[in-house]
Amino acid sequence: MDSTISPADLAAIWLTIKLATVVTAILLLVGTPLAWWLARTRCWWKGAVGAVVALPIVLPPTVIGFYLLVAMGPHGPLGQLTQTLGIGLLPFTFAGLVVASVIYSLPFVVQPLQNAFEAIPERTLEIASTLRASALDTFFSVALPLAKPGLFTASVLGFAHTVGEFGVVLMIGGNIPDQTRVASVQIYDHVQAMEYTQAHWLSAALLLFSFAVLLLLYTFHPTGKRK
Amino acid sequence: MDSTISPADLAAIWLTIKLATVVTAILLLVGTPLAWWLARTRCWWKGAVGAVVALPIVLPPTVIGFYLLVAMGPHGPLGQLTQTLGIGLLPFTFAGLVVASVIYSLPFVVQPLQNAFEAIPERTLEIASTLRASALDTFFSVALPLAKPGLFTASVLGFAHTVGEFGVVLMIGGNIPDQTRVASVQIYDHVQAMEYTQAHWLSAALLLFSFAVLLLLYTFHPTGKRK
Amino acid sequence: QTAQADEKLTIAAAADLKFALDQIVVLFKSTHPAAQIEAIYGSSGNFSTQLRQGAPYDLYFSADIAYPRALKEEGFAASEVQTYGMGRIVLWSLTRDASKMTLADLTDPSIQKIAIANPQHAPYGKRAEEALRASGVWEKVESKLVYGENIAQTAQYVQSGNAQIGIIALSLALSPELAQQGGYALIPDKLHQPLEQGFIITKHGADNTLAHEFAGFITDKQTKAIMTRYGFVLPDAVK
Amino acid sequence: MTAIHARFKLDYPGFTLDVDIKLPGSGVTALFGPSGSGKTTLLRCIAGLEHAEGGLLRMNDQVWQDGEKFLPTHARSLGYVFQEAGLFPHLSVRRNLEYGLIRIVPDKRKVQLEQVVELLGLSKLMARTDPTSLSGGERQRIAIGRALLTSPNLLLMDEPLSALDAASKQEIFPYLERLHRELEIPVLYVSHALDEVARLADHLVLLEQGRVIANGTLGETLSRLDLPTAHLDDAGAVIEAKVAMHDEAYSLTRLDFSGGSLWVSKIERAAGTLMRARVLARDVSVAIAAPHGSSITNIVAARIVEIRDEGRDRVSLRLAVGGGQTLLSRITRRSRDQLGLVAGMEVYAQVKSVALIA
Amino acid sequence: MTAIHARFKLDYPGFTLDVDIKLPGSGVTALFGPSGSGKTTLLRCIAGLEHAEGGLLRMNDQVWQDGEKFLPTHARSLGYVFQEAGLFPHLSVRRNLEYGLIRIVPDKRKVQLEQVVELLGLSKLMARTDPTSLSGGERQRIAIGRALLTSPNLLLMDEPLSALDAASKQEIFPYLERLHRELEIPVLYVSHALDEVARLADHLVLLEQGRVIANGTLGETLSRLDLPTAHLDDAGAVIEAKVAMHDEAYSLTRLDFSGGSLWVSKIERAAGTLMRARVLARDVSVAIAAPHGSSITNIVAARIVEIRDEGRDRVSLRLAVGGGQTLLSRITRRSRDQLGLVAGMEVYAQVKSVALIA
Ligand SMILES: Nc1ncnc2c1ncn2[C@@H]1O[C@H](COP(=O)(O)OP(=O)(O)OP(=O)(O)O)[C@@H](O)[C@H]1O
Ligand SMILES: Nc1ncnc2c1ncn2[C@@H]1O[C@H](COP(=O)(O)OP(=O)(O)OP(=O)(O)O)[C@@H](O)[C@H]1O
Ligand SMILES: [Mg+2]
Ligand SMILES: [Mg+2]
């Protein structure tokens, strides 16, 4: 058994980075407007929406994966939909992983963003509107920059959680090399197969990479400290 | 097969609530000072600490569980320590579950708290100090109340994540009924055993309970909206 | 289907088969140098769930023959269910000489934790429970039991020293990683139901000639030798 | 020139704003009233920041708000200087200033960046990246510039100068005057300082407990004795006069009106220009004989029209100074008696100080 | 009574604070200077909010800060009213007020809640739970009250009254006066309004670009023509005089000083009380002959000590009025020439208006 990182491991790491990047991007795209709405609306059903978003995390990932698998399968509602749309079936594809990870990691992105948006003083937004900025303009030119620390946290949690997730990914992805076998699944396989040396190396690589990325981010990140 | 919830399921739910409550309490106790320090320090190694805290999430839970199992075992450093302290070994005990869950969920608590603390204007803390409040006093009388939305989010994410976690818990806990078999493990077992009806019922119960709790929290929670 | 597509084969196999199957694949490849073969190991139950949802596996080797049988009945199989081996369970320990132990020794108070796979869904766990019950110690040891998610995790409980002894698959006890550590005692197969393990060609692999060839290769002499070496009792030997 | 019509009713627990006022479409209108009288609330209604049900707001021909319509704030061409500066903490000083500017199409920019930077003395601050480290006055000046740079059709200013020192104020005043004169931007100006108001405003609205208790030209309102302002130190009257000649040597300008003339600090206006000069009652003393050998330059023949008691020790005199114009004078009751002043008497008004309005 | 000694040096990019001053341990010391001159920075140093290396701060016998020691802010017995109110948004009005109070042991509470509520007119606001909905002036009054309630040994006030209307100011002034007189709390008071300063302060520190350019008693500093204060509209001098008699009929009071006397609105003070009266330069005209038949009541014989140009059209005169006291007068340059005024000449100072300070 080789004590370094095998090509299969590298492929898994690469796939992980790809998945986490795509998922984080989508999470931010979906989560930001949702969080903004949650932070600003006075709707009575806002609480319900917030609760529903947070709900996926209370179920074990494998179970979520199971339900998603059934829903996205050929007879599930999601599967019917994607088939009608001509996209085909999502399980066992990279796209399927992305969809599942997005659903599962959404609360980790929405919550910090919502907090960041809620912390922006109403007054600041009012000032922008007196300077001719429309609601959308204000959102991009004032709210989003001021919510940077929240965006940062949302990205870190979303990215890291996607990297580490494997219950959902294993179930939906089917562990197919180069397509859905991400690093977390690969490490899991190594541990299951008692290939501890490989598991240690891959874990160490993943940890080191993540640590480097996080350290860089943490050290140079826009501190949210307010005067 | 019974279509309602069995006593074993109820025991698992009860254990889950107990675990999540204890873990959330400890997370807040540990995470709050840590987040406060991270938010206020100008230490150069603050970034490294932040990164280390966030690190556990990038590894798959089962793998974290494996490493913790080894570390807390009779030959592991943690295990040596607990044995020396006369606590005995942690794996397969409720205490072991608590320790593992705390480590694994820490970033979900620290991050939102840190953001909330960073959003408090320096000026507000200065004012408190001119009103004779010591640093500690200011922390409790000003910083903590103003960080309420962050505390709220931290609690929700920490609690929900502990409820839903099962990789770590399964590994460390050994799936012992009434002691370490929490609801997530129980659902997982049901699904694995293809006892879908039971799995559905238990999932539904967990979801409903969580939804009710979250809805209550979200509806009545101290909104962080600032003027 | 192009000829090229036929050069690819994906096998979903129970985790306990890993050590044997990896070698069988190497062997098979020597006669099919162009073939691209991926063996994916995991939980038999998960694989059967995934196959129902159209997973792209051509062959499915289950640790419990019940799964492929159910799939066959539901029309997800493109072949008959074939038995490829019988699993055996062993007592295994790292810290004491298990080769001289019987199930009755488990009541020893110095043994505080006994690891078995979860009998609820893991086939090896079910057999372990049957054997413990049959030898009349179940009631006495039940409170000492810890349950692994699968047979590998069960072994890890013992390996890490957290459990003093465990009941695991013979195939695992013979694996390169565990063979040098500790010793094992075979549990008499009279004490439990046979652990019949079977495989099928899935609907997905129906047109994959490579799948059919690999299925045929399982009855090859060399293959059987490998299976035997890793602790599987071959179907014909059972009689 | 009633060009702004505002009608708002807004209820808070313990406070109701209830106004229906018409304001001139040019010049500076001062909003004056005690703390908590609703000045800020009124500005917020006008800006569209408070959504007052059934409110009405007409700006010249445009309806900004009525029963059906509600123009959102960003669609109202107005500048708003808030009571607190409220700079964007994530933008540099320059980007703060430019925030509104870049949202105006270049054709419609009537106010230029360089102009504002120079006037408000911001050039040293332009390179600063962190607006939170600015001093209070620096912040406020940037907030004023930022609002001006949107070239608004209406300028709302909520105590914009309260954080500024007298010297800065003196520099900003003329610019504000020029702004509303040249660009014809009407200004709604909240201030607690009557001298600021007197200096800047043409029109005065008095608020008390959410209601308008007076609304009229500055001179008119300030010389009314039934209003709270009458008890203020700064009561006075307005004289209309033409620029007659300049005394280059002493840097003075003479304004003539049909009743006499007034010398003021030299102004750069052509002879013949019509000016308005504000004379505070406390700056006017009277003499029964023509004074000689006094440093008081401005002495105008006048006739006492009316004498009113002002408190226990003082009286206010209304003086006709010819051409139907009026001066107010505030003197001690004892001086009135010692000089035997009665209505109808001819006297000399000695004016110590004159402020030009427009 | 030099009881406060402060020495600080602090560098910001583009700004350096460098002060070393001794201040009296009682009474009100005004900090006066243009925007950005370092007033707030100095207060922050004194409060211990800026950690100036090598700074020194001595309060009476106590060392608050020196080379070795640095008392943290909360351990310094001081009250600080910030330039912005900065109420705690999570606390009700009442809890905001009580925040500092409950942190003082009851024995040491020299200021009571009821007292402050009444004085600052807060009773109507006490029930309000959301301080963010208060008006600007309301917020500021609560901030003042909150600081007072810590019964501090030193009160730092950064433009505390700028958001308040004249009426509120008039109510708060006497209380502040009483506060520092009765409780002997020295006050360091930043203000842009010279009339406010003149009204409240005993001592004046002038800052410019981070340096102290003058530090002395109010009268001394204000009557100096070489300081920037002399150029302000509100420039003036302070006269110390004794209450001599009351004229009940006209409700006037006569103040006597060795150089003459001044009539002011009647005050309820016993004869003999020492008072300080502030006379603005622009309220003083001069005559070369004793004026007759004028409504100007206060005429004082004076000798011109110094004449300085003030802009292009005006001059400032320093007048000695006997007893070593000084008056300032501002007149046009032309009047000076027409009257032929030169230093050393004997004239009559005509005072139109007098403000009493204490
Ligand atoms: N949301 C609110 N709820 C209750 N009362 C409010 C609210 N907003 C404003 N008020 C009250 O309305 C009154 C008017 O407030 P406003 O801010 O208009 O006063 P203002 O005239 O601007 O005073 P200042 O000169 O002190 O700024 C105040 O008494 C204030 O407390
Ligand atoms: N952190 C900083 N970095 C750079 N410059 C600073 C910093 N803090 C303050 N300054 C500058 O120091 C100068 C003095 O500021 P300070 O707030 O003391 O002025 P001030 O006298 O209180 O003015 P104002 O009357 O406008 O409040 C200002 O020019 C300000 O911009
Ligand atoms: Mg206001
Ligand atoms: Mg300041």
Side-chain angles (χ1 to χ4, degrees), chain B residues 7-8 10 37 79 123 133 136 139 158 196 224:
Chain B
L10 276 181
W37 180 81
R123 170 60 47 93
L136 202 71
F139 174 76
Y196 293 132

Side-chain angles (χ1 to χ4, degrees), chain B residues 227, chain D residues 10-17 33-44 50 83 158-159 190 192 207 210, chain E residues 124-125 128 130 132-141 163-165:
Chain B
K227 290 286 171 64
Chain D
L10 201 69
D11 275 302
Y12 288 132
F15 175 81
T16 302
L17 179 81
S35 174
S37 59
K39 304 180 293 295
T40 299
T41 308
L42 177 56
L43 290 197
R44 289 177 58 82
E50 299 288 342
Q83 211 161 347
D158 202 346
E159 303 186 42
V190 171
H192 286 125
L207 272 183
Chain E
K124 264 179 67 186
L125 304 176
R128 293 278 281 272
D130 176 15
T132 58
S133 73
L134 295 170
S135 86
E138 288 164 351
R139 279 199 294 277
Q140 196 61 26
R141 279 181 283 154
L164 296 185
D165 55 295

Side-chain angles (χ1 to χ4, degrees), chain B residues 170-171 174 188-189 192 194, chain C residues 46 48 118 147 149 157 162:
Chain B
L170 193 61
M171 200 74 186
Y188 173 77
D189 286 347
Q192 290 298 306
M194 309 220 173
Chain C
N46 276 357
S48 80
N118 191 336
Y147 303 96
E149 176 196 347
Y157 284 156
N162 286 296

